[in-house]
Amino acid sequence: GDGAGVGAGPEKAAASPKLLVDQRDKWRKWWTRTYTTVGMIAGFIGIIYFGHLALVAFILVLQVMGFKEILQIRHEKLRMDRLPPDVPIALVDWFLFAVYQYFIIGMILTSRFPAFFMLHPVLTLALNHHSLLVFTLLIIGVVAFVITLRKGFYKMQFKQVAWCGTCLLAMAPSSFHVANIFEGMIWFLLPCSIIVCNDITAFIWGFWFGRTPLIQLSPKKTWEGFIGAFFSTLLFAWVLSWVLVQFDYFICPKTDMLVHPASCPPQAVMTLTTYPLPEVVTGLLSACGLTWTTVTVYPMQLHALVFAAFGSLIAPFGGFVASGFKRAFGIKDFGDLFPGHGGIVDRMDCQVIMSGFSYVYHISFVKTWASVHSVMAAIALLSPEDQLAVYHNLSSLVAH
């Protein structure tokens, strides 16, 4: 969503450092982006109101639309219209996309809500044989692809399936947001909001003060915008995390497929904790006449600073990759759904990297694997006889 422009080379990137605010035509883009941004944020808040499953559905819709944008570029640039009409190129693409979604989302749902999948024999089949079903569908896809190969078009058809597979691999991290949502909305809202804040503040700082180009791939990105957005995002993450931890609606993990958790015991990461200040810091404060030796904050605020640093320093490279892709194929944006912003992929390029990082960070440094919910979920999968054995063992353990 950087509005890279086609054909902008080193000469253009090294042009006179004229502020964007001094360019009249940029004010029109400013107001267009502002109106569109406000509309997108308002719509996002509305979806949050409807809960976890609404957010999951929202992510799936975004993935469908983003996948469609990328396939449209392939169709135009690789001249897929030259294929014989009896080659079901679109069917192969969307079949692979559906299998991918069933694999990722199905794996998340079956591991998170096993009790729900025990309610009906068909759901139980999906739970117990998820991997087998996915493998079977992939084999069907491979066989169907081989059957549709046409002499004289082999290379083009393999380009098609390679393009599709690459798109699905690039899209994979965005599905981690689904797992984050079920751990508590805060693990989804905070990383997403950090990317949005960084993007907005980078544009604002660059608009008013940007003079120094940041990277040739995106000549409209400036060091002033990059640095200003870094500190703005740190402050935003600190404040937003403090606000979110005040509400059970945002911090409670979802333990039932159909019921939204009204309340939950506070997790340690969401509880005020007192930390001793380093000696260097206490020494500096003492020199200023202050006697602070400890600080009391929510641990989530400290995690939020890590997210903010990653979202400001690393996640933008997702945008740079997207810019390089657009330059490689001579396009300005992936789509035109959002005036002033581009298409879905233009808006989601940094979010993909951030979703992967937030998921890995959470399971590595925050998630407690042995919890009441995880134990109960495992017990739900046992036979009645084994459940009774667990009951007797627990009774004996508690008695002693």
Side-chain angles (χ1 to χ4, degrees), residues 274-342:
T274 299
Y275 298 96
L277 291 173
E279 292 184 6
V280 175
V281 176
T282 56
L284 292 174
L285 293 175
S286 178
C288 298
L290 301 174
T291 58
W292 295 342
T293 57
T294 61
V295 60
T296 302
V297 298
Y298 291 99
M300 188 66 203
Q301 291 180 277
L302 303 179
H303 295 305
L305 293 181
V306 177
F307 285 165
F310 184 90
S312 300
L313 302 177
I314 306 300
F317 281 85
F320 300 150
V321 170
S323 294
F325 183 92
K326 288 185 286 187
R327 288 181 176 279
F329 289 92
I331 57 175
K332 185 178 185 294
D333 292 310
F334 285 93
D336 56 3
L337 181 63
F338 305 115
H341 292 270

Side-chain angles (χ1 to χ4, degrees), residues 19-22 26-27 29-31 33-34 37-38 41 196-211 220-230 232 341:
L19 292 174
L20 290 178
V21 70
D22 296 329
K26 298 304 177 184
W27 276 104
K29 183 177 181 180
W30 166 279
W31 289 113
R33 286 178 65 101
T34 299
T37 299
V38 171
I41 293 176
V196 173
C197 171
N198 187 259
D199 185 67
I200 292 174
T201 53
F203 179 75
I204 293 174
W205 284 99
F207 185 88
W208 290 97
F209 306 105
R211 292 182 180 274
K220 293 182 181 180
K221 303 283 189 182
T222 64
W223 276 105
E224 291 81 3
F226 186 77
I227 296 172
F230 172 73
S232 300
H341 292 270

Side-chain angles (χ1 to χ4, degrees), residues 1-172:
D2 54 28
V6 181
E11 297 80 6
K12 186 174 181 179
S16 175
K18 185 177 181 181
L19 292 174
L20 290 178
V21 70
D22 296 329
Q23 302 176 29
R24 289 187 177 182
D25 62 314
K26 298 304 177 184
W27 276 104
R28 181 174 55 83
K29 183 177 181 180
W30 166 279
W31 289 113
T32 300
R33 286 178 65 101
T34 299
Y35 296 144
T36 308
T37 299
V38 171
M40 288 191 291
I41 293 176
F44 186 57
I45 293 174
I47 296 171
I48 294 172
Y49 173 80
F50 290 100
H52 300 76
L53 296 182
L55 285 173
V56 172
F58 175 64
I59 291 174
L60 291 177
V61 170
L62 291 180
Q63 289 182 327
V64 168
M65 298 174 70
F67 188 63
K68 183 178 179 181
E69 286 181 352
I70 298 177
L71 292 185
Q72 182 61 34
I73 295 173
R74 182 197 65 184
H75 183 79
E76 295 174 355
K77 299 301 178 179
L78 300 186
R79 296 294 309 278
M80 289 298 175
D81 56 328
R82 293 178 294 175
L83 284 172
D86 63 329
V87 176
I89 177 174
L91 181 61
V92 172
D93 291 332
W94 290 106
F95 178 82
L96 293 176
F97 178 83
V99 173
Y100 156 80
Q101 293 294 349
Y102 175 69
F103 170 63
I104 298 292
I105 306 301
M107 183 172 56
I108 294 172
L109 293 179
T110 53
S111 62
R112 185 80 192 181
F113 311 108
F116 172 80
F117 286 87
M118 302 295 289
L119 297 177
H120 192 278
V122 175
L123 295 177
T124 304
L125 176 67
L127 171 67
N128 294 331
H129 303 289
H130 178 258
S131 297
L132 176 62
L133 292 173
V134 171
F135 181 76
T136 301
L137 290 172
L138 284 176
I139 294 300
I140 292 173
V142 170
V143 172
F145 173 71
V146 172
I147 292 175
T148 61
L149 288 174
R150 296 292 183 270
K151 186 176 181 181
F153 297 94
Y154 295 152
K155 186 174 182 180
M156 182 177 293
Q157 288 183 267
F158 275 99
K159 280 184 178 180
Q160 165 221 339
V161 75
W163 184 294
C164 179
T166 302
C167 291
L168 293 178
L169 287 176
M171 189 185 299

